[in-house]
Amino acid sequence: MIGTETEPGLIPQICTCLFETVRANPESFEVYVSYYEIYNEAATDLLLPRARKSQGPEKRLKIREAPDTGPYLESLSEFKVQTAQDVQAFMDVGNAARRTASTKMNDTSSRSHAIFTLTIRKTGDASVTTSRFRLVDLAGSERASATGATGERLREGANINKSLTTLGRVIAMLADKKAQGVVPYRDSILTWLLSDSLGGNSKTAMLACISPVDYEETLTTLRYANAVKRIATKAVVNTLSEQHQTAALDAQLRETMQLLEVTKRENAELLIFEKQTRTLRELLDAINAKSNAQIGRLERENEALRTHLRLAVEALRNPFHVTPDLSDHGSDSSDFSEDDGWPQASYKPDSKLSTVISSTSTDLISLATQINDLATDTQSWRESISMGSGLQFQ
């Protein structure tokens, strides 16, 4: 595929011929390159710096499918090139990032499939023609007994064999015109991304490398190539006329305007919601302040009643003594006590005072109950409002 400086391979020769054709034509040509690999059934970009292990796992590209161009990789980098030397420079960058490992059969065995894509756009007076040149370098199939692979190398070989087996099934079904059923493109990322090249709008060529050293391997390769030769594809020029471009731009503009209208409506609804939220918060703050004021007043009344009750209870427990007036009682010895030489009179608590104290105690208990109930109801009301509106009370 690459070759050497003295004997350039297929890709350098294609690039040289391509740019010679571009320079020989007066039309406006643009050439872009992209390069990615499929490693362990995951696609990664080879033209972007790979993340180090300390920075976390590398970014895997997601596969999307467009109705007009087929499957593609989302966020795959694409660079514009002017000469064949630019193409070679980007290819060197990608090859340096490609995964290789040593096995018993090869010191630098490829552990992934690599796909190098040249995208050519030709701009005419009223149309744009697009073509893609996909150069695919497949990793070779492996036998674990021959390569001595274990651990991660064994897992890599299993995924390589899986994709190659799926490719063989796809080719066999496409080559057999009597075959029925769905072509298993999606059984492997490799065949899914190459589905358009294998049996769609394309012209496809497959190069089979053979050697007289291994007869069985050569025979298998030739049978494989013979099956590929029977596949028929139908290539159609991918031309986008000025009318199609205008229609596509109009559709894109309409979609953008619809998104803008939706955004405006959402912003208006958001402003209304924020206004309602502020009003509700102000209302809740006013109710909260009123409730706190009422609770404070009830607590002050409760404290005053507690003070009055405490004074009344102390008066009952410690009755005071009254010294009678001797001039009013004469010398009647029945009203005098001879213990201290002075007459004494016992004070009996008034029944009205006991009634007032009992009533005050009842009122105090009732008031305390009302305060507790009011505090409980207020807290429950705050919590229910907070859960409904998302507001938090302190």
Side-chain angles (χ1 to χ4, degrees):
M1 294 291 286
I2 304 298
T4 62
E5 293 183 0
T6 57
E7 296 182 355
L10 182 63
I11 294 177
Q13 294 185 43
I14 290 174
C15 294
T16 301
C17 181
L18 172 64
F19 285 102
E20 288 178 355
T21 304
V22 169
R23 287 192 297 269
N25 287 272
E27 292 86 358
S28 176
F29 281 92
E30 291 182 346
V31 182
Y32 298 85
V33 297
S34 63
Y35 199 9
Y36 64 91
E37 69 173 353
I38 300 175
Y39 173 76
N40 284 341
E41 289 298 304
T44 55
D45 198 332
L46 290 175
L47 298 183
L48 293 181
R50 183 169 298 164
R52 299 177 181 176
K53 292 183 179 180
S54 58
Q55 299 175 351
E58 61 185 355
K59 181 180 179 181
R60 295 185 176 184
L61 302 178
K62 295 181 179 180
I63 302 179
R64 306 298 185 194
E65 190 158 359
D68 51 348
T69 59
Y72 67 96
L73 290 174
E74 186 180 28
S75 302
L76 177 65
S77 62
E78 196 175 56
F79 298 92
K80 186 176 181 179
V81 291
Q82 302 289 344
T83 62
Q85 289 73 21
D86 295 341
V87 176
Q88 185 62 45
F90 280 109
M91 186 167 294
D92 292 340
V93 171
N95 290 335
R98 191 176 175 185
R99 290 177 174 86
T100 59
S102 176
T103 64
K104 288 183 178 180
M105 298 185 66
N106 192 346
D107 291 337
T108 56
S109 174
S110 298
R111 313 311 296 167
S112 64
H113 308 296
I115 301 175
F116 187 85
T117 305
L118 289 168
T119 303
I120 304 101
R121 295 189 181 97
K122 176 185 175 183
T123 304
D125 295 334
S127 63
V128 177
T129 304
T130 303
S131 178
R132 289 182 178 84
F133 212 121
R134 289 194 179 99
L135 302 170
V136 184
D137 184 14
L138 298 177
S141 61
E142 294 186 355
R143 293 189 180 93
S145 58
T147 59
T150 58
E152 186 65 21
R153 301 286 86 79
L154 182 62
R155 178 168 172 263
E156 293 168 352
N159 282 300
I160 291 173
N161 292 339
K162 173 188 174 183
S163 59
L164 293 177
T165 301
T166 305
L167 178 61
R169 291 165 51 207
V170 169
I171 290 175
M173 183 167 286
L174 291 174
D176 188 2
K177 296 181 180 181
K178 297 181 180 180
Q180 298 180 354
V182 179
V183 181
Y185 289 119
R186 297 197 178 208
D187 288 0
S188 173
I189 293 180
L190 175 67
T191 52
W192 189 5
L193 290 173
L194 297 180
S195 58
D196 194 42
S197 299
L198 292 172
N201 179 19
S202 67
K203 289 184 177 181
T204 305
M206 185 174 188
L207 300 181
C209 298
I210 60 176
S211 171
V213 176
D214 192 332
Y215 173 78
E216 293 295 333
E217 289 288 341
T218 299
L219 182 59
T220 302
T221 302
L222 290 175
R223 288 174 178 170
Y224 192 82
N226 185 53
V228 174
K229 188 174 63 174
R230 294 198 300 269
I231 299 176
T233 58
K234 183 179 180 181
V236 179
V237 178
N238 299 317
T239 301
L240 186 62
S241 64
E242 186 176 358
Q243 294 179 351
H244 286 86
Q245 295 182 50
T246 304
L249 291 175
D250 289 342
Q252 186 176 2
L253 180 60
R254 286 194 298 270
E255 184 178 357
T256 304
M257 293 179 65
Q258 291 176 357
L259 292 176
L260 182 60
E261 290 296 330
V262 172
T263 303
K264 289 181 178 180
R265 289 197 300 269
E266 291 178 349
N267 290 336
E269 293 175 356
L270 180 61
L271 292 176
I272 295 174
F273 176 74
E274 290 178 350
K275 184 178 180 180
Q276 293 176 349
T277 302
R278 286 195 299 269
T279 303
L280 180 60
R281 185 183 292 276
E282 293 173 357
L283 177 62
L284 293 179
D285 291 340
I287 296 175
N288 188 27
K290 185 177 180 180
S291 300
N292 290 334
Q294 186 175 1
I295 292 174
R297 180 178 59 78
L298 293 176
E299 288 179 347
R300 289 192 296 273
E301 292 179 1
N302 185 20
E303 186 63 26
L305 290 175
R306 288 179 184 273
T307 302
H308 293 164
L309 180 61
R310 186 172 62 254
L311 295 175
V313 171
E314 290 179 356
L316 288 176
R317 291 180 178 176
N318 302 304
F320 57 88
H321 299 281
V322 178
T323 303
D325 188 358
L326 297 179
S327 61
D328 295 338
H329 296 281
S331 59
D332 190 358
S333 59
S334 62
D335 295 334
F336 297 88
S337 174
E338 298 179 354
D339 293 339
D340 298 328
W342 287 93
Q344 297 180 355
S346 301
Y347 174 78
K348 296 181 179 180
D350 190 356
S351 60
K352 293 182 179 181
L353 181 60
S354 299
T355 302
V356 171
I357 293 172
S358 177
S359 177
T360 304
S361 301
T362 303
D363 294 341
L364 181 62
I365 294 172
S366 177
L367 183 60
T369 303
Q370 292 178 8
I371 291 173
N372 292 332
D373 293 342
L374 180 59
T376 302
D377 294 341
T378 303
Q379 183 64 26
S380 300
W381 181 77
R382 289 177 183 175
E383 292 176 355
S384 62
I385 293 297
S386 298
M387 289 186 293
S389 62
L391 302 179
Q392 297 295 330
F393 291 94
Q394 301 295 333

